[in-house]
């Protein structure tokens, strides 16, 4: 880890927002009270359990989203690799779905890009936007 990364100040718990994706006014009373308890330190003894539970639930939701996205991608579909793809040099490239490998979508790129000499890449289904179902 670089020095620059280590020297950044960590925000105080009071300044941490309740939800990065939703405004606080959109929180239900139950969620708002839970966030308040966590922020106040009332559940510090249970933070490891809460962390594991939230991570497990997050994985389940991501898996469900990935399954839904995989079902939407058909063989022969024209796709664009979106901004969530890793490595970054693949972002924005287009190609055709040629197959599936486990939980990955195989895409034959329209042209060689970055480090991929063969133009056949494998990315997760959440990193693919369908342009033409094929």
């Amino acid at each position: 880890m670089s020095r620059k990364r280590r020297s950044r100040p960590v925000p105080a718990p009071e300044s941490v927002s309740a939800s990065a994706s939703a405004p606080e006014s959109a929180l239900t009373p139950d969620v708002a009270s839970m966030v308040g308890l966590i922020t106040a330190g009332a559940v510090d003894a249970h933070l490891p359990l809460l962390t594991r539970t939230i991570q497990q639930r997050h994985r389940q939701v991501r898996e469900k989203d990935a399954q839904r996205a995989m079902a939407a991608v058909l063989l022969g579909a024209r796709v664009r690799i979106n901004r969530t793809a890793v490595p970054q040099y693949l972002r924005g490239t287009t190609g055709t779905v040629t197959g599936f490998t486990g939980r990955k979508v195989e895409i034959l790129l329209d042209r060689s890009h970055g480090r991929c000499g063969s133009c056949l890449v494998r990315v997760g289904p959440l990193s693919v936007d369908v342009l033409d179902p094929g």
Side-chain angles (χ1 to χ4, degrees), residues 54-67:
I54 290 169
Q55 288 172 343
Q56 180 181 9
R57 181 62 186 149
H58 189 257
R59 276 192 301 273
Q60 290 171 349
V61 169
R62 293 283 294 176
E63 181 63 30
K64 191 175 186 179
D65 290 346
Q67 288 173 352

Side-chain angles (χ1 to χ4, degrees), residues 78 90 92-95 108-114 116-120:
R78 297 279 305 142
L90 290 175
T93 57
T94 57
L108 180 62
L109 298 180
D110 293 337
R111 57 187 158 163
S112 183
H113 193 281
C116 66
S118 68
C119 296
L120 182 66

Side-chain angles (χ1 to χ4, degrees):
M1 186 181 296
S2 69
R3 277 188 218 176
K4 192 177 212 181
R5 182 96 172 141
R6 277 183 277 169
S7 65
R8 289 185 187 165
V10 177
E14 295 79 30
S15 67
V16 175
S17 98
S19 174
S21 62
E24 289 187 31
S25 60
L27 296 176
T28 63
D30 290 342
V31 174
S33 65
M34 184 186 321
V35 169
L37 288 170
I38 292 169
T39 303
V43 293
D44 283 353
H46 304 287
L47 285 179
L49 173 63
L50 291 170
T51 301
R52 283 192 308 272
T53 304
I54 290 169
Q55 288 172 343
Q56 180 181 9
R57 181 62 186 149
H58 189 257
R59 276 192 301 273
Q60 290 171 349
V61 169
R62 293 283 294 176
E63 181 63 30
K64 191 175 186 179
D65 290 346
Q67 288 173 352
R68 216 177 273 132
M70 185 70 101
V73 177
L74 302 175
L75 197 61
R78 297 279 305 142
V79 296
R80 176 181 296 122
I81 299 175
N82 64 31
R83 63 181 177 83
T84 63
V86 176
Q88 292 184 6
Y89 64 82
L90 290 175
R91 295 175 182 181
T93 57
T94 57
T96 305
V97 176
T98 59
F100 304 95
T101 304
R103 296 180 178 181
K104 302 283 185 179
V105 179
E106 289 183 353
I107 301 170
L108 180 62
L109 298 180
D110 293 337
R111 57 187 158 163
S112 183
H113 193 281
R115 297 180 185 142
C116 66
S118 68
C119 296
L120 182 66
V121 296
R122 292 177 187 89
V123 296
L126 294 174
S127 296
V128 173
D129 295 330
V130 178
L131 301 173
D132 181 20

